[in-house]
Amino acid sequence: MARYFYMIVFLNMTVHIIFNVPLILIQNRFNGAVISMALSIVIGTILSYMFIKAMSKYPYNGLPEIFMDLLPAYIRVPFLIFLSLMWIAAGSLAIGSFAYLIKLYLNPEMDLRIILGFLVLVLLYGSTRGTQSILYKVEITILTVSPFIAYIIFKALTSNYFYPVHIKRALQYSLEMPNYSSVAAASYIFTGYINLVIMNRNIQAKRILKHFWLIPVLGTLILAFTYFIPFGFLGIKSIGDFVLPWMVTVDTIRMEYGFIERASFLLVMIFMQLSILFAIINWNVGLELMKSALGIEDRKTGKRLFTLVFLGIVGFLTVYFQETLNQRSYFEAVKIWFNLRLPVEILLVLALSLLSLRRKQA
Amino acid sequence: MANQQKIVSTLKEQLGNSSDFKIQDIDSFRKKIILVYIESLIDYKKINKDLIEPLLFCEKEDKYLVHLLSLPPCRQLKTGDNLLSLLIKGNLLIITTDSIFSYNAKKASNNQPGDSSVEMAVLGPQKALSENLSTNINLVRNRYPSENLIMEQQTVGTMSQTSIALMYDKKLVDHDVLRDVKKRLPEIKMDMIQAIGQLENAMTKKKHHLFPIMMITERPDRIALNLSQGKVIILMHGTPFGLIVPAVFFDFMASMDDTSHTFWSSRLMIAIRYIGLLLTLVLPALYIALTSYNPEVLRSQLAATIAGSRAGVPYPSFFEVTFMMLAVEMLVESSMRLPKAIGPTATTVGGLILGQAAQQAQLVSSIMIIITAFVAISNFTIPVNPMSFSIRVARYPLILLASFFGMMGVAAGLILLICYLTDKRSFGTPFLRLYWGSSRRIEKINEKPKGEQG
Amino acid sequence: MNRKAVLVCTFAVLAGLLTGCAYKDIDKRFFVTSIGVDYSKNPQKPYHVSLKLAIPSPQVQPGKTKFQLITEDADSIAEAVRVMKSKVDKDFDFGHCRVLVFGREILRKHQAEVLNWFMRRRDIQGIAYMALGDPTAEKVIKVKAKSERLPSNAIILSFDETSNDSPYIIPEILNDFYMRLKEEGIDPYLPVIQPLKDTYAINRVVLVKGSRLSKELNMDETRILNELLNTDRRGLIDVKKDENEFFVNVESFKTKTTVVIPRNTKPYVNVHIKIDGYIESSEKKLSHNYELLEDQRLASEVISNRVKSTLETIQKIGSDPLGLGLKYQAKHGVSEDKVKKWNKIYPHIQFKVKTDLKLRGTGIMY
């Protein structure tokens, strides 16, 4: 059903705060972040339209099934494995970034390894569920979380400490040359559609196209909110002093009549729901891709063992990877992944579009 | 003649000298007619009216036989039939020289529907099912007068031979579910099945499951409503409960009163139920997480109050919670089966005195007493009993997670719970998913993709 | 099945062992409710840090608050806190620290370092109220207010708009202070708290010029600044001219400030004030509408003049709490020479104040 798709897209759009996309953009605030964002909206919209269009030609087929008929095994298998690893990496990086946030704001006295290890265990359970079940969970989570997101945005915009004049000042730097890493980061916001590679088995891509206008509209709104609201609170200079600008921003908001006073805890809880869900989806897609690449059939005896072993290794690597890096180099790694992601995504979309065109002629 | 005697003696041998086993010889039409039955199972009045009286009036044997066969519960037996099992099921055997007839004269027991006592409704119908299968079927048929309503009778239990009835609307029913149910019923290998809950457990494939995937109800109106939603109903002889298959999460949160209230008041009731569900689930865990990991989340005033009331408590918060939860569970468990006369005493002693004393002795904080009471009360807002039990159990993993990981543990626990619930299937129907564009009937899953039950 | 159970148990025990250290009950924490930082006059250990620790009690009653005050001199706040830990029986928890009071000297000398510590700590709330302690921060923190149910709660309540809307109180929170300090074109301010015997007086504000503490505004100027900052605090406006004296109870007060840089003439700041209010007390009886309108005109004039003189005072101090510089930058660019240009314009800029006062009525009496 199409609504699940839009929820995943929405999820991806909100989850990019944890990935510190705003930070990458904010670092480039004087170097054409605004233009990069505008550019990425165009790129993201075009890519997602092409991809959905192409996928709609293969109803109820995931990417592995499509490739099965069209590509020889020596291209198909490595490509699928590579894609699978990209997905898994996205989930791992998200959960790793989130573990830093937890460590900083929720459990400062707890060992980072334990926090991450625990989150990985949660993911292990969550991501081995069926794709359809995960879609149901997506819907429930998004519906419960979005009122709170709306509330925080409302609170932010009506706060006494929100200075729209800062946003005007930030806009003074609109006409700078865009740079690649900002575009790569900002276009990430649209990337939720790409989960269709597996979700197309459960979602009818044709129906998505009916409400396609939602994607650019939502994307623009969310990108604008997430980029500009921190400016309104922190100004264009001091915003560069913070590792997690959004957390500091929300910490400026007080909920006078709320059950809790500090809005930042509300945000942490929202992030928790969203980032775990995001990682669950990514790992699930990565797992499905890997299973199809290696030809491990559903509901056979080997299936459970394989998923557990595979995700166990992934989970261990996630913890190990974070253990070896400090926070700075971790975010650098995220940036590298972003920069790698955009070309891979474009490649994938183009390849699929070409294949689907051939199908039309045939 | 010899044949007649032989049958009787075999039966006698098989049943031993059970004192309620009766053989009655009647001489008429210059022939012998033997009635064989088990006294305790038989309705005398029925025999008198249907069998004995006509016998006296009939002049010819042929005429009597015609009369016999015209009676609906009477049939002529074939050679292969098992006489013994017929006897045990409450049949009367009429053995004539040439043939054997069986006549179902079973004494109906407990066929009066009682007042509903488990799922009460304020404004809804007040009568529940009875313990008699045919009465129940009658009740359901009356409430659901549709020509599409199909009833199929079966027995379960190798020893108990309990008869059950499968009911569904053949137009509306989800045929996958029906097929699944019909496949699972004969697979049950159990000797004694006497309660519908046993049947439920036997039909559930997984051994370790927490949430019920079938709904037990005592309300004929709920059964009728669910029939119209395309569900399959299983009624069992001897219990005043029916089983509804499949059941999803939201069914367990619905009360039959919802339909009889005005729109906004029913919305309020539903909202209160879901809030109650959330509170009873997370409140104890939240208490641990907030007092022991993240007190900065609370408002300063509240934090100070909690810290003050906890100041004298010697144990860490999870002991406090475990202790109070234990007390409350014991209270609930004990008052459930206590005779009605003692029940209030137990609650008073347990609830009031124990709570008060525990707080004054500074074994628990006063905030914890409030939470305990709140948790217990909100648990009772869940309208269907098995669900409220499951939620009670689900609380404990959350408490465990909260005492290890604080707020993160609680949030992760809720995520895991939702993962578990959404992954659950009740006979192929997703247990927890949101339905949109509510139709009064169960949503047929059209977009069922390959390889995955949607 | 058994193996699974064993596995789960092992995990649980392991997790318990590993995480046991982070588990700390609420009664094992000392809540720091306010921090005061003063200059200690010892250049080796310049930071005189005082912490107000709440001692929770089961009965919460007004005036019955118990707290403990501990102080320490050290060469940094972090060091002071560390040393102070050895003086108490429980760990500090800064999560409920809502009041940060500073001495004048320490802000003059070590403002950046002080602020850095508070900003960097994740448990110090970004919404913590900042204030200047007069004469010292420690003396402010020491006060035990009669009405308090919780230590430091009185200060929090006075700064909270939902409980106290006195126009003389201008609250400032940590994150906002930091932004104002860092940003060019807007300057921070700090409310001044004076300890009294059983309570506090908060009715002045100290301005910051650039990043250095500057002069204080008096009560009336503070009130006008508050109104110009568009907070939701409302007050009374007294108008006196010759024989006619009356008070206006303000219902709403909105200001719109624009910086106008015309080509040829001198740059000026346009301040447009819109007030809705009632007459609260008046010497003479207002029997006719024209009298009311006359009062209205009179009051507008008085208010305009007052606002203008306050703005000029602030201008003379050289501080810019209203963020006029930001408004200039938003229009003309953020580059460095623009900022320099503004810094040249600001000391000589003119203020044009226009007040639209609307007296809605005269209350119950004529």
Side-chain angles (χ1 to χ4, degrees):
Chain A
M1 301 204 195
R3 64 171 191 269
Y4 296 126
F5 174 80
Y6 284 105
M7 281 167 182
I8 289 178
V9 168
F10 178 73
L11 172 74
N12 261 270
M13 288 175 176
T14 42
V15 120
H16 80 289
I17 296 178
I18 298 155
F19 258 141
N20 249 347
V21 170
L23 183 69
I24 297 176
L25 291 176
I26 281 165
Q27 280 168 348
N28 289 309
R29 63 192 180 282
F30 302 129
N31 309 322
V34 179
I35 286 280
S36 304
M37 275 156 57
L39 207 62
S40 70
I41 290 171
V42 176
I43 293 176
T45 311
I46 292 172
L47 281 182
S48 47
Y49 186 79
M50 281 168 74
F51 190 73
I52 298 167
K53 189 89 190 164
M55 280 317 252
S56 67
K57 299 245 166 65
Y58 304 91
Y60 298 134
N61 271 305
L63 192 68
E65 287 93 81
I66 298 171
F67 279 1
M68 187 64 88
D69 305 334
L70 298 170
L71 292 176
Y74 58 88
I75 301 179
R76 191 185 76 230
V77 174
F79 190 50
L80 284 181
I81 289 179
F82 173 68
L83 283 181
S84 157
L85 291 178
M86 284 297 281
W87 253 277
I88 295 270
S92 299
L93 289 173
I95 209 70
S97 316
F98 182 64
Y100 279 121
L101 201 116
I102 290 260
K103 164 91 180 158
L104 209 56
Y105 280 91
L106 219 50
N107 284 351
E109 279 155 41
M110 202 174 272
D111 196 331
L112 189 61
R113 278 166 296 182
I114 292 177
I115 295 175
L116 189 58
F118 174 66
L119 293 176
V120 162
L121 283 183
V122 173
L123 288 192
L124 267 181
Y125 180 82
S127 58
T128 47
R129 305 299 99 195
T131 307
Q132 190 70 37
S133 309
I134 290 174
L135 290 181
Y136 297 148
K137 184 177 158 30
V138 169
E139 187 177 18
I140 291 170
T141 311
I142 294 291
L143 282 185
T144 41
V145 157
S146 41
F148 292 105
I149 296 178
Y151 178 71
I152 284 192
I153 289 178
F154 168 77
K155 258 324 221 187
L157 292 180
T158 55
S159 166
N160 273 343
Y161 301 107
F162 176 70
Y163 300 86
V165 66
H166 285 313
I167 295 175
K168 277 191 206 154
R169 288 169 73 214
L171 281 171
Q172 294 277 352
Y173 290 98
S174 304
L175 296 172
E176 304 277 333
M177 275 303 283
N179 58 11
Y180 176 70
S181 88
S182 306
V183 174
S187 68
Y188 181 73
I189 197 169
F190 288 95
T191 209
Y193 70 88
I194 204 88
N195 286 317
L196 215 55
V197 293
I198 290 298
M199 304 292 179
N200 200 38
R201 292 173 180 170
N202 308 64
I203 298 172
Q204 241 181 330
K206 237 183 214 162
R207 294 216 188 154
I208 296 168
L209 286 173
K210 254 188 223 162
H211 306 282
F212 183 78
W213 55 270
L214 265 171
I215 293 183
V217 170
L218 264 183
T220 312
L221 274 181
I222 292 180
L223 197 55
F225 276 136
T226 50
Y227 178 69
F228 285 117
I229 286 181
F231 281 108
F233 282 93
L234 305 174
I236 59 170
K237 252 192 196 153
S238 51
I239 199 170
D241 298 350
F242 303 109
V243 183
L244 297 162
W246 255 95
M247 288 307 301
V248 182
T249 300
V250 174
D251 203 14
T252 318
I253 302 171
R254 196 166 79 91
M255 302 188 283
E256 294 91 356
Y257 304 105
F259 178 73
I260 53 176
E261 237 176 342
R262 278 176 92 173
S264 54
F265 289 108
L266 193 62
L267 192 67
V268 172
M269 283 294 127
I270 293 173
F271 278 172
M272 173 123 194
Q273 299 290 332
L274 292 180
S275 58
I276 289 184
L277 183 63
F278 173 81
I280 284 178
I281 292 174
N282 274 276
W283 278 25
N284 184 271
V285 170
L287 183 70
E288 294 292 327
L289 284 175
M290 187 60 93
K291 275 200 303 206
S292 342
L294 300 179
I296 289 163
E297 287 289 309
D298 266 3
R299 297 179 215 298
K300 287 263 170 73
T301 40
K303 178 199 162 200
R304 267 205 151 162
L305 189 72
F306 173 77
T307 48
L308 278 185
V309 169
F310 175 62
L311 286 184
I313 293 171
V314 166
F316 175 76
L317 285 179
T318 307
V319 181
Y320 180 77
F321 181 63
Q322 203 186 34
E323 171 71 14
T324 48
L325 296 178
N326 63 14
Q327 199 174 355
R328 285 287 166 78
S329 39
Y330 192 85
F331 284 132
E332 282 305 308
V334 173
K335 221 172 176 177
I336 293 170
W337 182 85
F338 272 130
N339 291 347
L340 185 62
R341 181 202 58 89
L342 188 59
V344 170
E345 200 173 303
I346 292 175
L347 183 75
L348 175 63
V349 171
L350 285 181
L352 199 77
S353 305
L354 288 179
L355 287 175
S356 76
L357 277 182
R358 248 180 44 188
R359 179 187 165 95
K360 204 178 181 183
Q361 285 157 1
Chain B
M1 210 58 156
N3 196 21
Q4 242 174 336
Q5 284 305 329
K6 204 175 142 199
I7 294 168
V8 171
S9 57
T10 350
L11 282 175
K12 230 180 195 168
E13 217 170 88
Q14 280 169 324
L15 276 171
N17 32 14
S18 199
S19 51
D20 55 354
F21 177 58
K22 288 276 150 109
I23 302 164
Q24 229 172 312
D25 293 354
I26 302 169
D27 289 311
S28 67
F29 317 124
R30 282 163 305 259
K31 280 178 190 168
K32 213 175 199 175
I33 293 177
I34 306 175
L35 302 181
V36 183
Y37 55 90
I38 296 176
E39 196 183 1
S40 49
L41 293 175
I42 296 295
D43 189 347
Y44 278 118
K45 275 185 206 154
K46 221 172 171 185
I47 302 177
N48 228 352
K49 209 174 109 212
D50 287 356
L51 300 179
I52 312 291
E53 274 177 25
L55 186 66
L56 302 178
F57 288 124
C58 286
E59 313 92 46
K60 277 189 191 163
E61 189 186 5
D62 296 358
K63 215 173 175 186
Y64 182 61
L65 289 183
V66 168
H67 165 74
L68 268 186
L69 285 173
S70 72
L71 290 172
C74 188
R75 67 189 177 100
Q76 191 164 11
L77 295 182
K78 287 165 214 134
T79 41
D81 284 323
N82 186 351
L83 299 180
L84 204 58
S85 77
L86 280 172
L87 268 181
I88 285 168
K89 281 180 186 163
N91 286 298
L92 178 117
L93 299 183
I94 304 155
I95 306 171
T96 62
T97 37
D98 317 318
S99 50
I100 308 174
F101 298 89
S102 82
Y103 175 77
N104 191 342
K106 196 169 182 181
K107 208 195 287 175
S109 56
N110 288 339
N111 59 353
Q112 286 305 311
D115 286 338
S116 61
S117 58
V118 182
E119 291 167 75
M120 252 104 60
V122 183
L123 299 174
Q126 299 295 325
K127 292 286 181 207
L129 292 175
S130 78
E131 295 208 344
N132 186 295
L133 185 60
S134 49
T135 315
N136 290 348
I137 293 169
N138 181 4
L139 280 173
V140 174
R141 281 241 184 237
N142 272 329
R143 283 198 182 268
Y144 197 77
S146 158
E147 73 275 13
N148 294 323
L149 180 60
I150 303 284
M151 197 274 287
E152 291 172 18
Q153 243 176 334
Q154 296 189 22
T155 57
V156 288
T158 45
M159 273 175 79
S160 61
Q161 293 288 328
T162 320
S163 45
I164 56 169
L166 213 62
M167 301 183 90
Y168 54 88
D169 187 310
K170 75 173 178 228
K171 280 235 175 96
L172 302 173
V173 71
D174 187 337
H175 288 279
D176 295 334
V177 174
L178 186 65
R179 215 172 300 132
D180 203 0
V181 171
K182 281 186 178 167
K183 207 185 84 199
R184 284 194 204 186
L185 276 173
E187 286 172 3
I188 297 171
K189 296 277 174 279
M190 218 185 235
D191 291 339
M192 294 295 292
I193 294 187
Q194 302 195 63
I196 202 96
Q198 258 180 312
L199 185 68
E200 185 196 352
N201 278 337
M203 279 174 76
T204 311
K205 275 179 191 157
K206 270 188 188 155
K207 195 176 158 201
H208 301 270
H209 68 290
L210 176 57
F211 288 91
I213 57 167
M214 289 169 250
M215 179 138 101
I216 299 177
T217 184
E218 60 162 2
R219 303 190 59 86
D221 53 337
R222 198 190 273 270
I223 289 178
L225 178 72
N226 278 290
L227 276 174
S228 73
Q229 289 169 339
K231 301 194 178 180
V232 180
I233 312 290
I234 302 171
L235 296 171
M236 183 191 262
H237 185 71
T239 55
F241 294 104
L243 204 58
I244 301 171
V245 176
V248 298
F249 182 78
F250 298 108
D251 294 340
F252 290 98
M253 296 302 288
S255 150
M256 286 314 289
D257 261 347
D258 292 348
T259 45
S260 48
H261 281 300
T262 58
F263 178 79
W264 288 114
S265 48
S266 75
R267 276 322 102 116
L268 175 70
M269 301 302 148
I270 292 169
I272 282 175
R273 252 174 256 152
Y274 281 97
I275 294 168
L277 172 81
L278 196 70
L279 284 181
T280 191
L281 200 58
V282 300
L283 215 49
L286 217 52
Y287 177 75
I288 296 181
L290 288 180
T291 55
S292 302
Y293 283 92
N294 306 101
E296 66 268 28
V297 176
L298 296 170
R299 279 179 172 257
S300 311
Q301 289 90 332
L302 187 57
T305 318
I306 294 177
S309 74
R310 259 200 62 82
V313 180
Y315 298 112
S317 60
F318 65 82
F319 269 122
E320 206 184 337
V321 168
T322 319
F323 177 65
M324 282 318 286
M325 283 298 120
L326 208 64
V328 122
E329 299 290 9
M330 281 177 176
L331 202 67
V332 173
E333 183 62 23
S334 61
S335 58
M336 198 168 290
R337 267 171 274 285
L338 273 182
K340 275 198 180 124
I342 318 177
T345 329
T347 29
T348 316
V349 172
L352 294 177
I353 301 178
L354 188 77
Q356 180 75 8
Q359 194 254 322
Q360 271 177 359
Q362 295 241 313
L363 276 177
V364 290
S365 65
S366 44
I367 303 280
M368 189 59 225
I369 300 277
I370 297 171
I371 289 177
T372 314
F374 216 162
V375 164
I377 293 168
S378 49
N379 194 33
F380 298 140
T381 57
I382 300 169
V384 181
N385 230 313
M387 182 48 104
S388 117
F389 280 98
S390 306
I391 294 293
R392 258 165 75 187
V393 178
R395 197 149 67 201
Y396 292 96
L398 277 182
I399 290 180
L400 201 70
L401 283 174
S403 33
F404 288 144
F405 299 103
M407 283 300 283
M408 176 178 73
V410 179
L414 286 178
I415 292 172
L416 287 178
L417 188 66
I418 293 177
C419 278
Y420 176 73
L421 287 175
T422 50
D423 196 40
K424 221 171 156 54
R425 297 286 183 272
S426 166
F427 294 85
T429 314
F431 189 66
L432 179 63
R433 63 172 288 200
L434 301 177
Y435 293 92
W436 290 63
S438 72
S439 71
R440 292 255 147 186
R441 305 206 156 121
I442 193 165
E443 199 171 304
K444 283 257 175 77
I445 302 107
N446 303 321
E447 295 183 55
K448 193 170 285 175
K450 296 184 276 185
E452 162 69 49
Q453 285 217 312
Chain C
M1 245 40 249
N2 239 341
R3 229 180 36 205
K4 235 184 202 170
V6 170
L7 212 69
V8 168
C9 284
T10 332
F11 263 117
V13 171
L14 265 181
L17 287 177
L18 288 170
T19 58
C21 49
Y23 186 95
K24 194 181 287 162
D25 271 320
I26 196 165
D27 47 315
K28 306 282 186 299
R29 303 173 192 235
F30 241 140
F31 288 114
V32 179
T33 57
S34 47
I35 304 180
V37 186
D38 286 306
Y39 188 63
S40 71
K41 298 197 181 76
N42 176 358
Q44 240 66 54
K45 293 180 170 181
Y47 298 91
H48 179 74
V49 181
S50 13
L51 301 185
K52 191 173 191 174
L53 305 172
I55 300 174
S57 66
Q59 262 81 42
V60 180
Q61 275 168 356
K64 287 269 170 68
T65 61
K66 283 188 222 152
F67 63 85
Q68 192 177 352
L69 190 84
I70 49 173
T71 57
E72 184 66 46
D73 291 354
D75 58 354
S76 70
I77 301 181
E79 175 69 20
V81 169
R82 222 181 59 201
V83 173
M84 273 187 272
K85 251 185 201 175
S86 64
K87 289 187 179 173
V88 292
D89 52 349
K90 290 176 258 184
D91 252 355
F92 295 134
D93 190 316
F94 289 97
H96 286 290
C97 180
R98 290 287 306 281
V99 179
L100 317 173
V101 189
F102 300 96
R104 192 161 286 155
E105 282 302 298
I106 195 79
L107 285 189
R108 291 247 160 87
K109 295 204 164 76
H110 297 283
Q111 181 168 269
E113 293 92 326
V114 169
L115 212 59
N116 192 287
W117 187 81
F118 285 107
M119 287 304 290
R120 205 174 279 273
R121 295 273 313 198
R122 66 107 213 174
D123 45 357
I124 302 278
Q125 309 188 4
I127 49 176
Y129 292 115
M130 289 180 76
L132 190 81
D134 183 31
T136 65
E138 194 187 342
K139 280 192 177 131
V140 170
I141 285 188
K142 247 187 199 160
V143 172
K144 186 173 182 178
K146 267 239 163 112
S147 59
E148 260 179 357
R149 287 158 186 274
L150 281 173
S152 306
N153 207 27
I155 298 182
I156 298 171
L157 288 179
S158 359
F159 281 137
D160 188 345
E161 270 168 30
T162 57
S163 52
N164 183 342
D165 64 354
S166 157
Y168 297 104
I169 301 174
I170 306 184
E172 175 67 323
I173 62 168
L174 179 60
N175 279 358
D176 192 52
F177 185 85
Y178 187 77
M179 184 279 289
R180 281 166 176 268
L181 197 66
K182 282 275 164 145
E183 219 60 31
E184 293 187 58
I186 190 163
D187 286 324
Y189 48 81
L190 280 179
V192 181
I193 304 182
Q194 272 178 308
L196 303 176
K197 192 170 169 283
D198 279 328
T199 181
Y200 312 91
I202 312 169
N203 51 24
R204 282 173 295 144
V205 70
V206 61
L207 296 179
V208 178
K209 181 186 178 186
S211 60
R212 284 184 63 82
L213 275 195
S214 190
K215 283 186 189 127
E216 280 175 25
L217 295 182
N218 64 26
M219 267 176 73
D220 288 325
E221 289 162 344
T222 303
R223 190 188 73 199
I224 287 162
L225 175 63
N226 205 348
E227 281 156 355
L228 289 173
L229 283 168
N230 269 333
T231 51
D232 295 330
R233 293 162 179 275
R234 279 162 252 141
L236 219 55
I237 298 170
D238 63 304
V239 183
K240 193 178 179 188
K241 195 161 190 194
D242 307 328
E243 291 293 282
N244 186 8
E245 185 176 10
F246 60 93
F247 291 87
V248 178
N249 189 7
V250 177
E251 291 265 291
S252 85
F253 195 114
K254 285 201 179 96
T255 49
K256 208 176 147 193
T257 327
T258 40
V259 180
V260 186
I261 314 278
R263 271 292 146 73
N264 306 317
T265 48
K266 277 180 105 182
Y268 61 92
V269 176
N270 222 339
V271 182
H272 191 162
I273 305 174
K274 264 189 182 166
I275 311 176
D276 264 18
Y278 287 83
I279 300 256
E280 185 160 296
S281 98
S282 171
E283 294 275 291
K284 65 173 192 193
K285 187 176 170 189
L286 298 161
S287 14
H288 299 287
N289 196 28
Y290 69 83
E291 284 172 314
L292 187 66
L293 292 177
E294 174 61 25
D295 274 2
Q296 186 172 303
R297 195 192 55 77
L298 192 67
S300 310
E301 214 168 83
V302 170
I303 293 166
S304 295
N305 283 338
R306 259 184 225 159
V307 168
K308 193 171 178 196
S309 75
T310 307
L311 282 170
E312 275 159 5
T313 317
I314 296 172
Q315 185 186 28
K316 234 172 255 157
I317 293 170
S319 174
D320 183 9
L322 292 176
L324 298 174
L326 292 185
K327 290 198 169 123
Y328 174 82
Q329 287 176 24
K331 230 182 233 169
H332 298 92
V334 198
S335 62
E336 226 159 273
D337 45 304
K338 289 281 176 193
V339 173
K340 266 182 199 152
K341 200 174 164 198
W342 168 251
N343 287 343
K344 261 181 218 151
I345 295 175
Y346 183 59
H348 309 292
I349 204 160
Q350 273 187 333
F351 294 99
K352 291 188 178 171
V353 185
K354 190 174 162 244
T355 309
D356 279 343
L357 174 73
K358 198 156 196 184
L359 287 175
R360 293 268 173 201
T362 54
I364 292 177
M365 292 167 67
Y366 271 117

